[in-house]
Amino acid sequence: MKGSIRIRAALCKNCGLCIEACPKGSIRVSKKINEKSYFPAEFVKGGDCTGCGLCAVVCPEAIIEVYRES
Protein backbone atom coordinates (compact mmCIF):
# COMPACT_ATOMS: atom_id res chain seq x y z
CA MET A 1 0.00 0.00 0.00
CA LYS A 2 1.28 3.44 -0.93
CA GLY A 3 0.68 6.50 1.20
CA SER A 4 1.45 10.17 1.55
CA ILE A 5 1.12 12.84 4.21
CA ARG A 6 0.39 16.54 4.37
CA ILE A 7 2.12 18.61 7.06
CA ARG A 8 0.85 22.11 7.80
CA ALA A 9 4.31 23.67 7.79
CA ALA A 10 3.15 27.03 9.16
CA LEU A 11 2.20 25.32 12.44
CA CYS A 12 5.16 22.94 12.75
CA LYS A 13 7.60 23.63 15.61
CA ASN A 14 10.23 21.11 14.46
CA CYS A 15 10.05 18.84 17.49
CA GLY A 16 11.30 15.98 15.28
CA LEU A 17 8.96 13.35 16.70
CA CYS A 18 7.40 12.57 13.31
CA ILE A 19 10.82 12.20 11.71
CA GLU A 20 11.89 9.67 14.33
CA ALA A 21 8.55 7.81 14.23
CA CYS A 22 8.54 7.28 10.45
CA PRO A 23 9.71 3.69 9.80
CA LYS A 24 10.41 4.47 6.12
CA GLY A 25 12.33 7.73 6.53
CA SER A 26 9.75 9.63 4.48
CA ILE A 27 9.90 12.83 6.57
CA ARG A 28 12.80 15.26 6.82
CA VAL A 29 13.56 18.75 8.07
CA SER A 30 12.81 21.43 5.50
CA LYS A 31 15.44 23.94 4.41
CA LYS A 32 12.81 26.70 4.46
CA ILE A 33 11.89 28.62 7.61
CA ASN A 34 8.21 28.96 8.47
CA GLU A 35 6.43 32.06 9.81
CA LYS A 36 7.36 31.14 13.39
CA SER A 37 11.08 30.87 12.55
CA TYR A 38 11.21 27.07 12.69
CA PHE A 39 12.50 24.67 10.06
CA PRO A 40 9.36 22.53 9.72
CA ALA A 41 9.15 18.85 8.89
CA GLU A 42 8.35 18.00 5.28
CA PHE A 43 7.25 14.92 3.37
CA VAL A 44 9.82 13.34 1.07
CA LYS A 45 7.94 13.02 -2.21
CA GLY A 46 8.61 9.72 -3.91
CA GLY A 47 9.58 8.09 -0.62
CA ASP A 48 8.41 4.75 0.71
CA CYS A 49 5.48 6.08 2.80
CA THR A 50 2.91 3.37 3.51
CA GLY A 51 0.36 5.62 5.19
CA CYS A 52 0.86 3.90 8.56
CA GLY A 53 -0.06 7.06 10.45
CA LEU A 54 2.63 6.88 13.14
CA CYS A 55 3.75 10.41 12.33
CA ALA A 56 0.24 11.79 12.87
CA VAL A 57 -0.14 9.91 16.15
CA VAL A 58 3.06 11.32 17.69
CA CYS A 59 2.63 14.90 16.42
CA PRO A 60 1.86 17.09 19.48
CA GLU A 61 0.42 19.83 17.26
CA ALA A 62 -1.89 17.43 15.33
CA ILE A 63 -0.92 19.01 12.00
CA ILE A 64 -0.27 15.88 9.91
CA GLU A 65 -2.88 14.36 7.62
CA VAL A 66 -2.30 10.83 6.30
CA TYR A 67 -3.53 9.57 2.93
CA ARG A 68 -3.52 5.95 1.71
CA GLU A 69 -3.80 4.70 -1.86
CA SER A 70 -4.83 1.13 -2.53
Side-chain angles (χ1 to χ4, degrees):
M1 185 179 301
K2 188 80 172 151
S4 65
I5 62 170
R6 182 177 156 254
I7 301 171
R8 292 187 300 193
L11 301 175
C12 181
K13 295 180 180 171
N14 190 11
C15 67
L17 294 175
C18 61
I19 295 170
E20 290 191 29
C22 181
K24 298 292 187 172
S26 295
I27 306 171
R28 65 180 172 212
V29 176
S30 175
K31 295 179 182 178
K32 298 177 184 175
I33 296 177
N34 67 12
E35 294 83 11
K36 296 183 181 188
S37 299
Y38 293 103
F39 289 94
E42 70 178 3
F43 178 61
V44 178
K45 290 184 173 59
D48 292 331
C49 179
T50 61
C52 70
L54 290 175
C55 56
V57 171
V58 300
C59 179
E61 303 299 319
I63 59 169
I64 301 175
E65 295 175 18
V66 179
Y67 302 95
R68 292 185 187 123
E69 301 171 15
S70 28

